[in-house]
Amino acid sequence: MININTHPGFLFYNFLQLLGIYGIYQAEIEKPQPYRLSDKESIVQRMIPSKTGMLIIYVPPVVVAVILQMILPAITSSYASTVPGWMLLAHFIKRCAEVLYLHKYSGETNLDAARFIGYSYSSTTLSISLVSSPSNSSQLGIILFIIGSLGNLYHHYLLASLRSGVSLSEKKKYMAPKGGMFEYVATPHYFFELVAWMGIAMASNQLTAYLNFISMTCYLMARSYNQNQWNMKKFEEKEWPSSRMNMIPFLF
């Protein structure tokens, strides 16, 4: 049975999560989050290098997780670290490491969008860590988190390898991803990320964590749909079959 923290602050946060779930999907379908914009759009937007933008997104939740998992338990006996908190710390450290050592960047990122997403991930880390019980754990949740994280990393590696050993001009040219589950869906890295988030939700077993999973599912489903539609327009049928699913093999 899913636990619900009845503290007014968490109930209000859950209410905001519910309000945002449908809105996130609709907003992303109609107007995708502007990670990168065209040169014309960049004139009216505050743009920064993509690598810097990604660090703005992923470093703040790492800082929050370090405080909650390592610093607070060391200075007060009234607070203890949690398994979901460690999973969140591992997730965002992984993302920072990918930004620094794996991904190849050539574009720009909207600064305001990066700040907003970084704030969102930080609040997610804070809320799930605080609401979870130190005694709560789930072996299945931990297994799903490991599978999801490794699957996500592997497909990020496949994406990064598309730009390895090519010239600067070619790095700016988008190439059809191949290998792994890219043969079946447009965004297998999103699929495995959701598997990891489900693992976190199961380890927490709190309504807050499950609502976060639903929110992430809506967000990434919309992004995967847009990515697949873009790929179908960009590539010929032999490179990118129109029958290819968005994110979940044989289903969506």
Side-chain angles (χ1 to χ4, degrees), residues 44-104:
V44 296
Q45 299 282 352
R46 291 191 292 176
M47 304 300 293
I48 56 175
S50 291
K51 190 171 188 176
T52 303
M54 295 301 105
L55 290 174
I56 289 174
I57 289 174
Y58 296 125
V59 169
V62 169
V63 173
V64 171
V66 167
I67 292 173
L68 293 174
Q69 295 300 114
M70 302 173 71
I71 297 178
L72 279 182
I75 62 178
T76 176
S77 59
S78 62
Y79 181 84
S81 61
T82 64
V83 171
W86 287 115
M87 295 163 82
L88 286 161
L89 178 58
H91 174 76
F92 288 113
I93 286 179
K94 166 186 165 291
R95 298 309 294 266
C96 288
E98 289 175 339
V99 170
L100 293 171
Y101 304 112
L102 180 61
H103 295 311
K104 310 293 192 300

Side-chain angles (χ1 to χ4, degrees), residues 26-224:
Q26 280 299 108
E28 188 61 33
I29 283 288
E30 296 171 3
K31 189 177 181 182
Q33 194 67 255
Y35 282 128
R36 290 185 292 179
L37 302 177
S38 66
D39 292 337
K40 184 177 180 180
E41 291 172 313
S42 297
I43 296 174
V44 296
Q45 299 282 352
R46 291 191 292 176
M47 304 300 293
I48 56 175
S50 291
K51 190 171 188 176
T52 303
M54 295 301 105
L55 290 174
I56 289 174
I57 289 174
Y58 296 125
V59 169
V62 169
V63 173
V64 171
V66 167
I67 292 173
L68 293 174
Q69 295 300 114
M70 302 173 71
I71 297 178
L72 279 182
I75 62 178
T76 176
S77 59
S78 62
Y79 181 84
S81 61
T82 64
V83 171
W86 287 115
M87 295 163 82
L88 286 161
L89 178 58
H91 174 76
F92 288 113
I93 286 179
K94 166 186 165 291
R95 298 309 294 266
C96 288
E98 289 175 339
V99 170
L100 293 171
Y101 304 112
L102 180 61
H103 295 311
K104 310 293 192 300
Y105 297 99
S106 60
E108 292 183 314
T109 299
N110 181 287
L111 175 59
D112 293 331
R115 285 174 173 171
F116 175 79
I117 298 171
Y119 169 78
S120 176
Y121 282 151
S122 297
S123 63
T124 295
T125 301
L126 178 66
S127 61
I128 293 178
S129 297
L130 290 179
V131 79
S132 300
S133 169
S135 61
N136 248 22
S137 182
S138 165
Q139 288 187 346
L140 178 58
I142 294 172
I143 291 171
L144 287 177
F145 176 75
I146 293 172
I147 292 173
S149 298
L150 292 177
N152 177 262
L153 175 62
Y154 172 66
H155 288 90
H156 279 168
Y157 166 77
L158 292 180
L159 286 174
S161 66
L162 293 174
R163 296 187 175 190
S164 298
V166 299
S167 65
L168 182 61
S169 60
E170 289 178 311
K171 284 185 179 181
K172 295 186 178 183
K173 179 183 177 182
Y174 194 86
M175 294 174 279
K178 297 179 181 179
M181 282 178 53
F182 279 114
E183 305 300 324
Y184 305 97
V185 296
T187 57
H189 47 307
Y190 290 170
F191 170 76
F192 282 105
E193 181 168 352
L194 288 178
V195 171
W197 281 110
M198 172 54 82
I200 293 172
M202 293 180 68
S204 173
N205 198 37
Q206 287 282 342
L207 178 64
T208 299
Y210 280 106
L211 288 178
N212 175 72
F213 169 74
I214 295 172
S215 178
M216 289 296 298
T217 299
C218 291
Y219 174 64
L220 293 179
M221 283 179 67
R223 288 195 72 86
S224 69

